[in-house]
Amino acid sequence: MKLATLNDGTRDGKLVVVSKDLTRFCPADNIAPTLQAALDNWAECEPKLRNLYTDVEHQSVPCERFHEREAHSPLPRAYQWADGSAYINHVELVRKARNAEVPESFYHDPLMYQGGSDKFLPPRADIPLGDPAWGCDMEGEIAVVTDDVPMGVTSEQAADHIKLVMLVNDVSLRGLIPGELAKGFGFFQSKPSSAFSPVAVTPDELGDAWKDSVVHLPLMVDYNGEPFGRAEAGEDATFSLAELVAHAAKTRDLGAGTIIGSGTVSNQGPEGDPGKPVADGGRGYSCIAEIRMIETIRSGEASTRFMRAGDTVRVEMKDRDGHSIFGAIEQTVVDI
Amino acid sequence: MKLATLNDGTRDGKLVVVSKDLTRFCPADNIAPTLQAALDNWAECEPKLRNLYTDVEHQSVPCERFHEREAHSPLPRAYQWADGSAYINHVELVRKARNAEVPESFYHDPLMYQGGSDKFLPPRADIPLGDPAWGCDMEGEIAVVTDDVPMGVTSEQAADHIKLVMLVNDVSLRGLIPGELAKGFGFFQSKPSSAFSPVAVTPDELGDAWKDSVVHLPLMVDYNGEPFGRAEAGEDATFSLAELVAHAAKTRDLGAGTIIGSGTVSNQGPEGDPGKPVADGGRGYSCIAEIRMIETIRSGEASTRFMRAGDTVRVEMKDRDGHSIFGAIEQTVVDI
């Protein structure tokens, strides 16, 4: 099943069911007015939404043309957004760039930060930047949405609470991160609003590409119209998304509509090395910080600058037949 | 104006207007079904709610008896909860207890962490504790609720966006904090669900005790039925609540219903010293971590243990005539 939230001028938008090929939608607000409302009552809403999805696929209900640009993030605002670091290769590269160590515990105890969730950007919205010196970066990631998760669940139990999968561009202000992390309380100003893919899908939509709560497909990140990242999300995941959900629920219940992110998708190179840019035949990177690290390793200094007004990022994932699964995040940085 | 959210079995409860003396309420769901809905449309709802408050005060509308135990936290779940550290004395004491330094920047650049907001505890709900070794502590604080705050506001502008004031018990798991902070991404498992006061009030309700976006009244924290903290919230605030709101809005808009906390209210002693327990004639402490630090300074080791099943905490604030302003947070720790 594929769901989206259309921007109808309200804060929470309007829930719609989208066809598998992303061309048509049917309003679902007679089942639940918003995606949050559906998640609040998922056991009752899910079968109704799935029936509607079948009708949309069979074209047995009136549908309208779906335009990704009219979609908001599936949850335009959420009660919780927590981002993990499933792909330790990213952490290793970014820490190397900061001359910081990766503690051994990171390989069995997931890193996770509590993100701001009060106002996400729509998937086609500009990224407002107050100062180029803030070092604006994209981070291409996978995220899941849960129903109510009881405190203390195991990873196996957590897997059953993953109701939807989507993509996210976790906007990061690299210039503000070192100072903020040095204060010891984690990210705040350095993590402004993120944007999610136009469409969220149930895990079964991924077929056998959803295995052990990991998505086994490449994440396509384009930067200024060129391929920038083609990381295999199914490789080098130290933690599954279910393990990240269980980590989040260790000391408290998680409310329905909780979004948990994978962290930047990142692969090692074939020899356990940091890999190569797409232009050099490698899988590239899902954020600029990583390529800057590679450049530093190679030539002593980073040559790719962070994003400025006019720079564009596109994040998408295609199934094995080449069809877009979630629609594309497409954003342009603007000065404000 | 005083507002509360009654627990009606729904996730977001029912908005009511409460009399100044906290004895009566009148449902306000004909104005806005929930407090979040009122905040989403504050310009339109505020005058209507204020008119109803006048009617409740004049007893010119039918009212029902208000019981604090029937109230949920004013926002049972929120899109954002960010907690600052306005009272640096608390930071100094807690860091001393961890043998950690207080960087000079903390005195002009506020500490702030993004907290979980998907599921707050009601003000009279038990605090579920999975393991006594987690070191359960209370933190008595003041919190404000904003409407929509644009990115980049000044502190002066931020002050006008503070629409409501309330109290909070920011439950902390001290045993999990050092390990989590060492990972560098801030608190997550160490900050389970917080509870807020039964009633939220507009700043004008505080009269001249609301000055420069700081509450000038003592915060009363009782522990197991005994006075534990009587810290003067109007003293030793390095940052005002408006400054904390502006800090949060530096790189992004804040959505309506954002909750910003003061951090643990904490005073220095009269000589710039760490102060004394209430039993010794001092103002005491708003959390256990502070008294443990004092004990360590005095005798080489902490004697007050953290909270376990059966321990109770009460957080309240009274006006200069001795009347409760927000009602009382009253919680008991339970094993789960």
Side-chain angles (χ1 to χ4, degrees):
Chain A
M1 172 167 65
K2 299 198 174 191
L3 301 174
T5 294
L6 292 194
N7 194 342
D8 63 353
T10 66
R11 290 176 187 262
D12 297 302
K14 186 175 80 164
L15 179 63
V16 302
V17 169
V18 180
S19 62
K20 193 177 188 69
D21 65 2
L22 310 183
T23 61
R24 305 182 304 285
F25 78 88
C26 180
D29 49 352
N30 58 330
I31 298 170
T34 64
L35 180 54
Q36 180 65 51
L39 289 159
D40 284 346
N41 193 13
W42 192 248
E44 191 178 309
C45 293
E46 186 192 9
K48 294 179 186 172
L49 291 167
R50 284 189 182 272
N51 286 342
L52 182 56
Y53 182 58
T54 303
D55 290 344
V56 168
E57 283 302 287
H58 292 164
Q59 306 205 38
S60 58
V61 282
C63 286
E64 295 175 60
R65 176 95 184 250
F66 179 68
H67 298 287
E68 293 180 28
R69 65 174 185 273
E70 293 171 2
H72 211 308
S73 284
L75 289 165
R77 53 182 179 176
Y79 294 107
Q80 178 153 252
W81 154 235
D83 200 9
S85 286
Y87 299 87
I88 300 291
N89 190 57
H90 167 74
V91 182
E92 289 171 345
L93 284 174
V94 173
R95 297 238 163 181
K96 265 187 207 161
R98 291 206 299 265
N99 283 317
E101 299 252 315
V102 178
E104 190 277 329
S105 67
F106 284 20
Y107 298 89
H108 54 83
D109 179 32
L111 263 184
M112 183 171 281
Y113 73 89
Q114 191 91 47
S117 56
D118 55 310
K119 215 171 169 178
F120 294 129
L121 297 174
R124 300 293 169 98
D126 292 338
I127 299 170
L129 181 61
D131 184 345
W134 291 349
C136 185
D137 199 358
M138 75 284 224
E139 291 196 351
E141 310 186 7
I142 294 157
V144 294
V145 185
T146 73
D147 63 354
D148 289 301
V149 182
M151 173 172 163
V153 286
T154 63
S155 298
E156 291 68 32
Q157 292 164 333
D160 292 332
H161 292 285
I162 294 175
K163 300 306 178 190
L164 296 169
V165 184
M166 52 194 185
L167 305 180
V168 53
N169 175 18
D170 180 41
V171 181
S172 298
L173 301 175
R174 301 285 178 200
L176 303 181
I177 288 179
E180 213 157 41
L181 294 195
K183 289 161 73 180
F185 274 23
F187 308 104
F188 196 93
Q189 294 177 336
S190 51
K191 291 282 185 179
S193 300
S194 295
F196 293 82
S197 51
V199 173
V201 311
T202 47
D204 59 285
E205 280 293 329
L206 297 165
D208 61 5
W210 179 252
K211 198 178 151 192
D212 298 332
S213 300
V214 169
V215 178
H216 292 255
L217 287 169
L219 184 68
M220 303 166 68
V221 178
D222 288 1
Y223 183 46
N224 289 331
E226 300 290 333
F228 188 80
R230 295 292 182 269
E232 248 317 322
E235 296 179 21
D236 304 317
T238 306
F239 303 104
S240 72
L241 288 152
E243 286 173 315
L244 295 179
V245 171
H247 179 83
K250 182 180 171 185
T251 61
R252 50 171 153 126
D253 297 342
L254 308 180
T258 287
I259 306 172
I260 303 286
S262 67
T264 306
V265 179
S266 180
N267 294 145
Q268 292 191 318
E271 313 293 334
D273 55 278
K276 286 191 272 189
V278 175
D280 299 346
R283 287 178 178 172
Y285 310 99
S286 305
C287 68
I288 293 172
E290 288 192 16
I291 199 167
R292 286 171 57 86
M293 184 57 213
I294 306 305
E295 291 163 351
T296 305
I297 291 168
R298 285 189 178 180
S299 67
E301 66 176 344
S303 53
T304 305
R305 61 163 174 73
F306 289 114
M307 298 171 84
R308 292 195 189 157
D311 286 329
T312 63
V313 56
R314 179 183 167 97
V315 182
E316 193 173 18
M317 185 174 265
K318 293 183 175 174
D319 64 22
R320 298 207 178 96
D321 297 323
H323 300 121
S324 183
I325 299 172
F326 307 96
I329 299 170
E330 277 186 11
Q331 300 187 272
T332 303
V333 175
V334 296
D335 287 331
I336 66 152
Chain B
M1 171 167 68
K2 300 198 173 190
L3 301 173
T5 294
L6 292 194
N7 194 341
D8 63 353
T10 66
R11 289 177 187 261
D12 297 302
K14 187 175 79 164
L15 179 63
V16 303
V17 169
V18 180
S19 63
K20 193 177 188 69
D21 66 1
L22 310 183
T23 61
R24 304 181 305 285
F25 77 88
C26 181
D29 48 353
N30 58 331
I31 298 170
T34 64
L35 180 54
Q36 181 65 51
L39 289 159
D40 283 346
N41 193 13
W42 191 247
E44 190 178 309
C45 292
E46 186 191 10
K48 294 179 187 172
L49 291 167
R50 284 190 182 271
N51 285 342
L52 181 57
Y53 182 58
T54 303
D55 291 344
V56 167
E57 282 304 285
H58 292 164
Q59 307 205 35
S60 57
V61 281
C63 286
E64 295 174 61
R65 176 94 184 249
F66 179 68
H67 298 287
E68 294 179 28
R69 66 173 183 273
E70 293 171 2
H72 211 307
S73 286
L75 289 165
R77 54 182 177 174
Y79 294 107
Q80 177 153 251
W81 155 234
D83 201 9
S85 286
Y87 300 88
I88 299 290
N89 191 57
H90 166 75
V91 182
E92 290 171 345
L93 285 173
V94 172
R95 297 237 164 182
K96 266 186 205 159
R98 289 207 298 266
N99 284 318
E101 299 252 315
V102 177
E104 191 276 331
S105 67
F106 284 20
Y107 297 89
H108 53 83
D109 179 33
L111 263 184
M112 181 171 283
Y113 73 90
Q114 191 92 48
S117 56
D118 55 311
K119 215 170 170 181
F120 295 129
L121 297 173
R124 301 294 169 95
D126 292 338
I127 299 169
L129 181 61
D131 184 346
W134 291 349
C136 185
D137 199 357
M138 75 282 222
E139 291 195 350
E141 309 186 9
I142 294 158
V144 295
V145 185
T146 73
D147 63 355
D148 287 302
V149 182
M151 174 172 163
V153 286
T154 63
S155 298
E156 291 68 33
Q157 292 165 333
D160 291 333
H161 291 285
I162 294 175
K163 300 306 178 189
L164 296 168
V165 184
M166 52 193 184
L167 305 180
V168 53
N169 175 19
D170 179 42
V171 180
S172 298
L173 301 175
R174 301 285 180 201
L176 303 183
I177 288 180
E180 214 157 40
L181 294 196
K183 288 161 74 180
F185 273 23
F187 307 104
F188 196 94
Q189 294 176 337
S190 51
K191 292 282 185 179
S193 300
S194 295
F196 293 82
S197 51
V199 174
V201 312
T202 48
D204 59 284
E205 279 294 328
L206 296 165
D208 61 5
W210 178 252
K211 199 178 150 192
D212 298 331
S213 300
V214 170
V215 178
H216 291 257
L217 287 169
L219 183 70
M220 304 168 66
V221 178
D222 288 1
Y223 183 46
N224 288 332
E226 300 289 335
F228 188 80
R230 294 294 182 267
E232 222 0 286
E235 296 179 20
D236 303 317
T238 305
F239 303 105
S240 72
L241 288 153
E243 286 174 314
L244 296 180
V245 172
H247 179 83
K250 183 179 171 187
T251 60
R252 50 171 154 127
D253 298 342
L254 307 180
T258 287
I259 307 172
I260 303 285
S262 68
T264 307
V265 179
S266 180
N267 295 144
Q268 292 191 317
E271 313 292 335
D273 55 278
K276 286 190 273 189
V278 175
D280 298 347
R283 287 177 178 172
Y285 310 98
S286 305
C287 69
I288 293 172
E290 288 193 15
I291 199 166
R292 285 171 58 87
M293 184 58 214
I294 307 305
E295 291 163 352
T296 305
I297 291 169
R298 286 188 177 178
S299 67
E301 65 175 346
S303 52
T304 304
R305 61 163 173 73
F306 288 114
M307 298 172 82
R308 291 193 190 159
D311 287 329
T312 63
V313 56
R314 180 182 166 97
V315 182
E316 194 173 18
M317 186 174 265
K318 293 184 174 173
D319 64 21
R320 298 209 177 93
D321 297 325
H323 301 121
S324 183
I325 299 171
F326 306 95
I329 298 169
E330 276 185 12
Q331 300 187 273
T332 303
V333 175
V334 296
D335 287 331
I336 64 150

